[in-house]
Amino acid sequence: MSANAPAIGQPSRWILPAALALVLISFVAAVFLGIVDIPARDVLSALTGTGSTEARSIILDIRLPRIVTGILAGMQFALAGLLLQTITRNPLADPSLMGVSQGATLTVTLFLLFTVYLANPDSYSVNELPIAWLPPAGMIGGMAAGGIIYLLAFRLDLSPLRITLCGIAIGAVLHAIAIGLIAGWGSARIEIILEWLSGSLYARTWDHALFLLPFTVAGLGMLPLIYRPLNLLRFDAAVARSFGLSYRRQFSLVLLVSCALAASAVGAVGPIVFVGLIVPHLARFLAGRHFPLVLPLTIVLGAVIVTLGDLVGRLAGGPEEVPIGVVTALMGVPVMLALLRRVP
Amino acid sequence: MPLTCSHLSVSYGRRRALSGFSLSMEKGEIRALIGPNGSGKSTALQALAGLIASSEGRAEIEGVSVASMSRRAIAKKLAFLPQQPVAPDEMTVAQLVRQGRFPHVGLFRSYGRKDEEAIAWALESTGLTGLAGRTLQELSGGERQRAWISAALAQEAAILLLDEPTSFLDIGYQVEVLDLVHRLSRERGVTIVMAIHDINQAIAVSDRISLLEKGELRFDGAPKALSESGLVEKTFRVKGTFVEVAPGKPPHFDVELTKLNRSGP
């Protein structure tokens, strides 16, 4: 930007490279550290395809897939949150505003309920549950909830306030139904739901990473297309339209991208939606007036926060690891409060 | 003709905000829309800008119906500055003004020399070149208003619609904005329609005036004819007289402040 000379003391040059370096560091740390102590040399040989079968299995089949899944999900949650906060002009927006996590919770609950009773009425058959189908089931629910809220708000002209109010109302209903089902269900299978609900990277496989990858790629691929409209969607509708933006079309497109990113991520790792709330704030704080930095910083920090959060959860909990959703919420709240102190 | 509308009517639900409004602008003309609060000035401007749909009649830019044009096509020809627009606090003046080039660059084309020149001109015309790197939060009310005008100028549209551009500005900036409006019209041939509250400013700066009351057009003509019509006093329910300040200059409306009694201590 030629007309926008960088102010002195603004960390605009080094902040993105620093954040990228942080991704690499957290990735390496997450690969090398874990509850099973594997010497660094064995980790390296496992990565190159040699070494003991046990080390190879832990690194290649357990740690790497969960790290990659976490990175993809983190980027998706953070990006979804930024898009939603930007277009609704609501700093407290996260993917649950569009009912994505509540809708996903409901369909995952329904899915488990029905498959269990259709397949096997024995209430202790946890291992036979079709867990591989949870990501698509959750994603469909998330998208459906987002779609319902969109249609309700669309009828009422898509004002950000309407979207927020519709989102809260629909989200609350879906959540209540899901909790009601879970409460009335009461059996060993509840553990699967609870683990999924808290947002977890436990036992995530390459299948989860592969499930997410197309959404991550498509979401990032959409960015050049929505980048300029996103700038204009920060204004209210009258101003954005006066500047030549087809407000309705572009708003809907960005909303769709946001919901698809969030719903697929929720399906794969459960509602770690706090990442979507907190990371954009962190990115905005670091970028200051350099708005063009906010978008890349959000994506990169989303990967970092989830990777580090999961590592902390793995190391802190011992064999009974602390779910990533709990870690991000506990770590995120102080960050959020500190950032909010800047808001008048 | 750059901008016309005929028998334009707009309703919000059951309330009719504008009925049968007609306007026809010459190139480079300055038109003031005056009228009491709620008389339909903003509604008329928004309907002209194609931001709200009309129930009857239509607005046309160079003979083409505004309703049939895309937002980008409209924005290339017409810039509209709403009343008290809102932007994110952390946005800088330069970033705001750059958005004015969106109709020209679209989704993908990078900013060329012509765009940078337009931005530089827009900043300079509003005296903001030195403040380009400031965030809007750091500006005074007058500077912020000028930043918005600057963004509208960066569109390089031949038609400029301004909704109360001088409200909330001190008298110095008010004069500056009116002076800028005058220069745009006379030097660049920009056609300008603005809603404005100050009757004397409307009379001083505009070529023609439209007076609205309860959504209906009460007067359309030259400032001098308006001053002789007695409509201003009637519409605004005030007493006052139009005083000739100097020969050949527009008259000055001197309003009587009857409710005030300043004789006693």
Side-chain angles (χ1 to χ4, degrees), chain A residues 225 228 234 241 243 245 289, chain B residues 51 71 103 106 108-109 133:
Chain A
L225 189 65
R228 280 191 186 149
R234 297 162 78 200
R241 295 178 71 207
F243 280 137
L245 189 77
R289 68 188 66 197
Chain B
L51 291 173
R71 286 312 315 172
F108 301 114
R109 193 172 74 71

Side-chain angles (χ1 to χ4, degrees), chain A residues 1-5 224-225 228-229 231-232 234-239 241-247 250 284 288-292 344, chain B residues 50-51 71-72 75 80 82 86-88 90-91 94-96 99-100 102-103 105-109 111 116 132-133 138 148 151 155:
Chain A
M1 276 197 188
S2 67
N4 184 19
L225 189 65
R228 280 191 186 149
N231 268 323
L232 287 165
R234 297 162 78 200
F235 301 112
D236 55 39
V239 174
R241 295 178 71 207
S242 301
F243 280 137
L245 189 77
S246 310
Y247 187 83
Q250 299 294 345
R284 250 180 252 129
R289 68 188 66 197
H290 298 274
F291 185 73
Chain B
L51 291 173
R71 286 312 315 172
R72 235 184 111 186
F80 169 63
V86 184
E90 72 277 10
M91 186 175 265
Q95 284 163 0
L96 173 60
Q99 304 308 322
F102 176 73
V105 295
L107 295 178
F108 301 114
R109 193 172 74 71
Y111 284 68
E116 300 295 348
E138 296 166 325
W148 279 103
Q155 276 177 250

Side-chain angles (χ1 to χ4, degrees), chain B residues 211-228:
Chain B
L211 172 65
L212 285 162
E213 187 189 17
K214 291 178 186 150
E216 288 184 24
L217 187 64
R218 293 275 184 256
F219 175 88
D220 181 340
K224 190 151 169 40
L226 177 68
S227 69
E228 287 158 2

Side-chain angles (χ1 to χ4, degrees), chain A residues 108-316:
Chain A
V108 163
T109 311
L110 283 172
F111 179 74
L112 287 176
L113 189 67
F114 277 107
T115 47
V116 165
Y117 281 108
L118 290 179
N120 188 349
D122 172 11
S123 65
Y124 294 97
S125 58
V126 175
N127 294 329
E128 288 164 36
L129 289 175
I131 291 175
W133 286 94
L134 287 190
M139 178 180 151
I140 288 168
M143 289 300 286
I148 291 170
I149 291 164
Y150 173 81
L151 288 177
L152 283 174
F154 194 80
R155 205 169 47 84
L156 300 164
D157 221 24
L158 278 184
S159 92
L161 183 64
R162 295 231 193 262
I163 288 217
T164 307
L165 293 175
C166 288
I168 290 171
I170 299 294
V173 170
L174 296 176
H175 188 72
I177 297 174
I179 293 294
L181 282 174
I182 294 170
W185 194 9
S187 78
R189 283 169 241 108
I190 220 168
E191 272 183 30
I192 296 176
I193 301 248
L194 284 181
E195 185 213 290
W196 184 87
L197 257 183
S198 63
S200 174
L201 287 172
Y202 177 71
R204 290 303 180 266
T205 62
W206 286 114
D207 288 341
H208 292 93
L210 282 177
F211 170 78
L212 281 180
L213 191 63
F215 293 100
T216 317
V217 170
L220 295 179
M222 287 297 283
L223 289 181
L225 189 65
I226 61 175
Y227 184 74
R228 280 191 186 149
L230 203 56
N231 268 323
L232 287 165
L233 287 167
R234 297 162 78 200
F235 301 112
D236 55 39
V239 174
R241 295 178 71 207
S242 301
F243 280 137
L245 189 77
S246 310
Y247 187 83
R248 206 169 252 254
R249 189 194 308 157
Q250 299 294 345
F251 189 100
S252 308
L253 180 64
V254 176
L255 198 64
L256 178 70
V257 173
S258 170
C259 282
L261 285 170
S264 54
V266 168
V269 302
I272 323 180
V273 285
F274 209 68
V275 174
L277 176 65
I278 204 94
V279 171
H281 282 277
L282 201 58
R284 250 180 252 129
F285 171 74
L286 291 172
R289 68 188 66 197
H290 298 274
F291 185 73
L293 277 177
V294 174
L295 191 64
L297 267 181
T298 298
I299 298 167
V300 171
L301 288 176
V304 172
I305 298 279
V306 171
T307 310
L308 287 182
D310 185 45
L311 181 61
V312 169
R314 267 159 54 198
L315 295 179

